[in-house]
């Protein structure tokens, strides 16, 4: 008897791992943890300007912003990092009004080199100040139009490898160069990411955690289609934004059977959203998983003072408690209240500290999780045809001025 089929049964963990190992040969983000950072650090030392303005959008800025936002209040940074990433004229004008443009390095980042938002903002900057080799850096693909511009104007450039997608590019020059310039330890960043890489590819704890989580997400995607990241630190606001792009643009796809797939990412901040979105989680439809992210050590000992407020003595039990303890107890209370319901899938990630290693490890793990989910879903995590269609329409509308 001969038999042929095109069925796609649930893929095994072993097959998933094998597929990821194969993919590692041609998808570049996996191996960024092994790169030599010397050229980035040498360039960073040469930058004299106090203000660093990154001009980009999406994957060109979100990852860098996530790390900078997480670390900047715990570091003695001598330079300030700004991001111009929207064509909102009020945002552009208000940000530039507060920056000394004569003491600014402009970093123009676009993988394709023709991102309309990025080039439009860069054109405006050029109307305000002369952008040249002394105050401009370009980060792009080697064969892009933007790199041609850099060469023609003798402007320094760093390469974005072709096999590294924009939303997976935070550990390339896209993120490492701006972060090195402002004084963040990029070797520690790569060390944190590499630790997750090694644990996954030796099939250690990271592998077990990611594969189990990804399998649950996909096998129960029709029941729990919304994935909520509940980050208990305002420092993780940038991470939430980065996660939303990574998850949405990577997993919202049509699979090999022409079925529409996708998991909806939501990023919220505790304890702020305990007073809003938590109500929807607890008493709303059972269509959401929840991942709570905590920070174990904030490196901050700010306390609630022991003072008497007339009429509020019943809350004196919070006196002398550190705010870091309070926010973690709030997280624990939320976790326990969700778990007590027994019908909301919930997991908890605890970051050791506010450090380069911790945030990089978290972000690399989410990149791996995204890739594994895509394999379970039989989709390509690395393209974005839905976004490209909008870009084509926009170009046509602008060219016809209609």
């Amino acid at each position: 008897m001969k038999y042929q089929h095109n069925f796609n049964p649930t893929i095994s963990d072993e097959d998933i791992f094998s597929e990821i190992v194969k993919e590692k040969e041609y998808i570049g983000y996996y191996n960024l943890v092994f790169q030599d950072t010397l050229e980035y650090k040498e360039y960073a030392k040469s930058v004299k300007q106090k203000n660093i303005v990154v001009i980009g959008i999406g994957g060109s800025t979100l990852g860098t912003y996530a790390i900078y936002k997480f670390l900047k209040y715990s570091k003695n940074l001598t330079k300030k990092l700004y991001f111009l990433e929207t064509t909102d004229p009020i945002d552009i004008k208000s940000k530039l009004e507060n920056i000394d443009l004569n003491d600014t390095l402009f970093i123009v980042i676009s993988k394709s080199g023709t991102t309309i938002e990025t080039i439009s903002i860069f054109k405006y900057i050029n109307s305000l100040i002369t952008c040249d080799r002394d105050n401009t850096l370009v980060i792009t693909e080697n064969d892009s139009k933007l790199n041609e511009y850099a060469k023609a104007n003798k402007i320094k450039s760093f390469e974005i490898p072709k096999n590294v997608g924009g939303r997976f590019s935070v550990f390339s020059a896209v993120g490492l160069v701006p972060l090195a310039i402002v004084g963040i330890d990029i070797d520690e960043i790569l060390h944190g990411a590499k630790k997750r890489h090694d644990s996954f590819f030796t099939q250690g704890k990271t592998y077990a955690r990611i594969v189990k989580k990804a399998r649950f997400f996909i096998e129960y995607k029709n029941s729990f289609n919304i994935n909520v990241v509940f980050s208990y630190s305002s420092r993780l606001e940038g991470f939430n934004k980065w996660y939303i792009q990574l998850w949405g643009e990577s997993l919202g796809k049509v699979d090999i059977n022409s079925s529409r797939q996708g998991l909806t990412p939501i990023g919220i901040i505790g304890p702020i959203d305990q007073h809003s979105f938590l109500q929807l989680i607890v008493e709303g439809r059972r269509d959401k998983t929840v991942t709570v992210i905590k920070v174990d050590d904030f490196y901050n000992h700010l306390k609630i003072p022991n003072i008497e407020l007339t009429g509020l003595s019943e809350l004196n039990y919070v006196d002398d408690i550190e705010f870091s303890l309070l926010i973690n107890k709030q997280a624990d209370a939320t976790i326990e209240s969700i778990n007590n319901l027994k019908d909301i899938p919930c997991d908890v990630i605890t970051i050791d500290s506010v450090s380069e290693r911790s945030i990089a490890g978290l972000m690399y793990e989410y990149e791996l999780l995204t890739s594994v989910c895509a394999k379970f879903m039989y989709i390509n995590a690395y393209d974005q045809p839905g976004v490209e269609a909008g870009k084509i329409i926009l170009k046509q509308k602008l060219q016809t001025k209609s």
Side-chain angles (χ1 to χ4, degrees), residues 96-111:
L96 292 177
E97 282 176 347
N98 295 304
I99 301 171
D100 180 358
L101 300 184
N102 292 309
D103 193 15
T104 298
L105 174 72
F106 299 98
I107 305 180
V108 188
I109 305 179
S110 170
K111 181 173 168 61

Side-chain angles (χ1 to χ4, degrees), residues 20 23-35 111 161-172 190 193-194 196-197 200-201 210 242 246 250 363-375 381-382:
I20 294 292
E23 190 173 88
K24 194 171 184 281
E25 296 176 5
Y26 58 90
I27 296 297
Y29 90 83
Y30 292 106
N31 298 308
L32 291 174
V33 297
F34 299 108
Q35 69 190 294
K111 181 173 168 61
K162 278 194 172 295
N163 63 357
V164 176
R167 59 188 174 275
F168 289 87
S169 67
V170 62
F171 301 119
S172 71
L190 289 186
K194 186 175 182 298
R196 290 292 188 275
H197 167 282
F200 181 85
F201 285 102
I210 286 174
W242 173 82
L246 179 72
S250 298
M363 293 175 75
Y364 193 82
E365 180 156 333
Y366 260 85
E367 289 181 335
L368 290 170
L369 177 63
T370 303
S371 295
V372 173
C373 282
K375 289 298 179 186
Y382 310 107

Side-chain angles (χ1 to χ4, degrees), residues 60-78:
S60 296
T61 58
L62 287 174
T64 310
Y65 174 73
I67 295 175
Y68 181 67
K69 170 79 172 178
F70 187 71
L71 296 173
K72 69 175 181 176
Y73 295 113
S74 299
K75 302 289 180 181
N76 295 317
L77 304 179
T78 57

